[in-house]
Amino acid sequence: MRISREKIVRISHKAMDVLVASDEVEFVEDRDTIRQKIVLILTETLREEEKAEAEVRKRITSQKKEITEGSEEWDVLYRKYYAEELRRMGIAAAPEEQHHQHRRY
């Protein structure tokens, strides 16, 4: 997902607001340094996810049969390959994805 730098900065400010409001957080670094680190982490994570998405699309289009984007089969493969890419990169799946992966039908 493409997010503008301005939105990432806005998210970092909101994250800092939450941390500042928490009685359980003690700052040992300058708050702006921490906020800048949040921006860096978000930016790097989004870049990694974009790489994962590109790899997933490449894998789907390399299938022997043509799979139409938006079809149920395409969606299933996309979710499967995307989860595999995130795991390969060391990015954990979202909690709702983990819940569905462990569910038996």
Side-chain angles (χ1 to χ4, degrees), residues 4 10 16-17 19 29 34 37 39 42 52 54 59 71 77 99 101:
S4 71
R10 197 171 329 134
M16 282 305 299
D17 291 345
L19 293 173
E29 286 285 335
I34 296 168
K37 184 67 174 176
V39 168
L42 287 172
R59 284 180 69 183
S71 68
L77 286 174
H99 177 72
Q101 290 172 355

Side-chain angles (χ1 to χ4, degrees), residues 33-81:
T33 301
I34 296 168
R35 190 195 57 74
Q36 289 174 5
K37 184 67 174 176
I38 292 170
V39 168
L40 180 65
I41 291 168
L42 287 172
T43 301
E44 289 174 354
T45 302
L46 290 170
R47 255 190 227 122
E48 290 296 316
E49 288 182 353
E50 286 176 3
K51 288 179 189 175
E53 182 176 357
E55 183 60 32
V56 166
R57 289 179 176 280
K58 182 177 154 185
R59 284 180 69 183
I60 293 173
T61 58
S62 69
Q63 300 290 316
K64 288 184 180 181
K65 75 174 199 173
E66 184 178 333
I67 301 170
T68 306
E69 186 170 346
S71 68
E72 184 176 340
E73 183 179 16
W74 192 94
D75 290 342
V76 168
L77 286 174
Y78 182 90
R79 284 191 302 274
K80 176 184 174 189
Y81 293 161

